[in-house]
Amino acid sequence: MMRIFALTDTGKRLGEMLLTLLTEAGESVELSFKPQPFKQQVRDSFQRGERQIFICATGIVMRTLAPVIEDKYKDPAVLVLDELGKFVIPLLSGHEGGANQWAADVAELIDAQPVITSARAYLEPVYSVGMGCERHCPEHVLQGLLDECLAKADLSIDDITSIHSIDVKADEVGLIELANTLGKPYQTWDAATLMAMEPLLSMRSEYVFNTVGVYGVAESAALYAAGQITGEAPELVLPKHKNKQATCAIARSFKY
């Protein structure tokens, strides 16, 4: 048995589509729209062992399920989808509970992107760096921040394939010089392209959005680049870190 939880009208429409598709595929599934009391309904479903699909923010799901989570060998699989149905995230019981494969199956049904964050030692990780900065930020300032981020992620520059930013930084001398010094490709992407990464961001800045058209340059650029390199779902390895003049994030995806 599986249950879909939707909290908004937009989410309900996606939930109804999923209900139809999953039922046609032979699954036993029910849709709960704004169930009350929400926490109790969700926890009861979880403790009955029902697989769950949530169409809402991951934070809501984790705060609600936290008191009843036991371990990955007992808990049912849990997926989270964004309202637009672009991404499917296996939140709990990825390997043992089958959530990773289930996410891939659901994503295929609705033409979405599965976002698998479990460790996959048998695959080759590909790391990309995203950076943003003030105009005319010196190379040494960017290098210092990058070094700090690599240390925090327990990576070396040899692990990094490339450095990326938004297209308004295509002529940013410091970033270009940094990439040249390190012997790494430097590539930029336009705001419309980077906005596709919004559901995967760890934080969102209205100021940055009003300035350049995306909610986070470093994270968006790193994520998009990682996905482009392998054609697989990207994930953040290190969320945005910053100093007084620049920001940096590291993302990865996996080569099969």
Side-chain angles (χ1 to χ4, degrees), residues 68-206:
V68 292
I69 292 173
E70 293 187 43
D71 63 57
K72 61 184 179 180
Y73 299 103
K74 297 179 182 178
D75 295 335
V78 175
L79 305 184
V80 178
L81 281 68
D82 63 293
E83 285 188 336
L84 299 180
K86 291 184 177 180
F87 299 96
V88 182
I89 305 170
L91 195 64
L92 289 177
S93 301
H95 286 306
E96 286 74 9
N100 287 350
Q101 184 57 54
W102 187 29
D105 294 340
V106 169
E108 185 174 359
L109 276 179
I110 61 173
D111 192 26
Q113 174 70 63
V115 181
I116 312 298
T117 58
S118 304
R120 290 170 282 183
Y122 60 92
L123 301 179
E124 179 187 351
V126 172
Y127 298 93
S128 61
V129 166
M131 300 193 80
C133 65
E134 294 179 359
R135 183 58 76 181
H136 308 305
C137 181
E139 179 188 357
H140 74 270
V141 173
L142 296 165
Q143 180 72 70
L145 178 59
L146 177 57
D147 289 344
E148 291 177 17
C149 290
L150 290 172
K152 288 179 182 294
D154 195 23
L155 296 170
S156 74
I157 191 59
D158 292 335
D159 295 312
I160 302 302
T161 61
S162 48
I163 299 173
H164 302 264
S165 192
I166 194 167
D167 61 356
V168 296
K169 294 298 178 182
D171 62 348
E172 189 65 53
V173 174
L175 287 170
I176 294 170
E177 290 179 343
L178 175 66
N180 288 339
T181 298
L182 298 174
K184 303 294 180 181
Y186 176 58
Q187 188 171 6
T188 61
W189 312 91
D190 63 52
T193 297
L194 295 182
M195 272 299 289
M197 296 296 102
E198 183 190 350
L200 302 182
L201 301 182
S202 71
M203 59 191 81
R204 293 165 178 78
S205 168
E206 292 292 338

Side-chain angles (χ1 to χ4, degrees), residues 4-31:
I4 302 169
F5 292 95
L7 302 183
T8 65
D9 291 337
T10 302
K12 180 184 178 184
R13 287 192 289 272
L14 176 58
E16 289 170 340
M17 181 178 74
L18 271 171
L19 178 66
T20 299
L21 292 172
L22 290 167
T23 301
E24 290 176 349
E27 300 283 359
S28 176
V29 56
E30 293 185 11
L31 172 63

